[in-house]
Amino acid sequence: MKSPATTSFPTRCGRVLRLLGHLAIGVFIVATRYSRLAQAERAVVTRRWAQHALKILGVSIKVQGVNPGFYPPNTLLVANHVSWLDIAVLNSCTVSRFVAKREIRNWPLIGWLAYVAGTLFIDRGNRRDASRINQILADAMGNGGCMAVFPESTTSDGSGLLPFKASLFEAALLSGGTVQPVSLRYQRPDGSLLLEAAYIGQISLFESIGRVLSVPQIEVEICYGQPLRAGDAGLDNRFLLAEQARREVARGLRIALEDSPQPNSSSEEKSQA
């Protein structure tokens, strides 16, 4: 079987230089005027920056389903998690503020950028922290915000779908908002799954970036599933919301899920401990 084509060394160097320049522009905008912009203006800046970053990396977007809008109010976007590219991919179509693990806040430069951009950081080892984040999420959504979470709580290679943690779905119930499932599939132009995009295992961030830079063309299929109105019949608790959202994401990924009994609150709390 023929090995997939890779980019040349000069092409990779060119991408790195352009990406660093683009990152510098982002830092300048955030440091000088981002905090003074209205939310709608921030969304425009964020989407443009994300779209150009993906263009530099040779990433194209293929949209399936109905995009809920540029910055849909009172919405909780939930997606499967494959790569550090996921945030730029989602923001290139539907701009959101994200919830991320606390450790990212300490990453050089990236942690600061994420913080200024409005990312909420959660301590996944502390069950009580979910209640604090849920209230912040609910307040932000209730004030017209679009928030995004990766309920698998870790990354996968994109060939399957891990169980969803239900805790942060409580925010949608508190705000009376909409849960928007989104499926992300990284693939080659011929439609075959692209494993090089996955940021998993013991691979470092720099190694992952190197793998992405080596791929000539990356296509990301974004599939927007059926919106779920929190509180509707059959969606009136966070476990039901999480399960139905997972089924919608799996459908977009063309993955068949085995039927399993609904979790209860005590079993989930043990799994998150």
Side-chain angles (χ1 to χ4, degrees), residues 5-227:
T6 59
T7 57
S8 65
F9 181 71
T11 297
R12 297 181 202 183
C13 290
R15 285 183 173 181
V16 169
L17 291 175
R18 290 169 62 200
L19 193 60
L20 288 174
H22 189 54
L23 182 61
I25 292 173
V27 170
F28 176 78
I29 292 173
V30 168
T32 58
R33 63 186 181 92
Y34 193 80
S35 61
R36 299 196 302 270
L37 298 176
Q39 184 56 60
E41 294 173 315
R42 291 186 186 186
V44 171
V45 171
T46 299
R47 186 168 68 168
R48 286 177 178 171
W49 191 93
Q51 288 173 339
H52 191 62
L54 295 177
K55 182 179 180 181
I56 290 172
L57 293 170
V59 179
S60 61
I61 303 296
K62 180 181 179 181
V63 177
Q64 303 283 349
V66 180
N67 188 327
F70 175 52
Y71 189 73
N74 202 1
T75 298
L76 183 67
L77 226 63
V78 296
N80 60 306
H81 199 9
V82 178
S83 173
W84 47 271
L85 281 169
D86 293 348
I87 293 176
V89 168
L90 288 170
N91 275 338
S92 71
C93 295
T94 303
V95 178
S96 309
R97 291 172 58 196
F98 288 81
V99 176
K101 60 183 180 180
R102 185 180 61 179
E103 292 80 0
I104 292 179
R105 178 67 181 89
N106 298 320
W107 287 9
L109 188 59
I110 294 177
W112 174 75
L113 282 172
Y115 170 75
V116 176
T119 298
L120 303 179
F121 298 97
I122 186 171
D123 182 357
R124 296 196 182 278
N126 183 354
R127 285 180 294 176
R128 295 180 179 178
D129 201 38
S131 297
R132 176 183 67 87
I133 293 295
N134 267 322
Q135 193 57 61
I136 296 174
L137 274 173
D139 291 344
M141 290 167 60
N143 288 324
C146 179
M147 309 300 293
V149 299
F150 298 112
E152 291 174 290
S153 297
T154 187
T155 53
S156 71
D157 65 6
S159 63
L161 190 62
L162 300 172
F164 278 11
K165 305 295 185 183
S167 57
L168 295 181
F169 285 83
E170 186 69 26
L173 291 166
L174 292 172
S175 71
T178 298
V179 174
Q180 175 62 65
V182 186
S183 308
L184 302 177
R185 187 179 194 275
Y186 290 79
Q187 57 192 31
R188 300 183 188 280
D190 63 4
S192 60
L193 191 66
L194 181 70
L195 298 178
E196 288 89 338
Y199 182 31
I200 56 175
Q202 300 303 311
I203 183 175
S204 70
L205 178 60
F206 290 107
E207 288 175 316
S208 179
I209 292 173
R211 290 184 180 183
V212 169
L213 291 172
S214 72
V215 181
Q217 290 179 285
I218 298 175
E219 183 178 275
V220 185
E221 185 177 271
I222 300 180
C223 182
Y224 292 97
Q226 180 67 36

Side-chain angles (χ1 to χ4, degrees), residues 244-258:
Q244 187 58 37
R246 183 169 182 257
R247 291 185 181 279
E248 284 294 317
V249 172
R251 185 175 62 84
L253 294 173
R254 301 183 288 279
I255 295 172
L257 296 178
E258 293 183 3

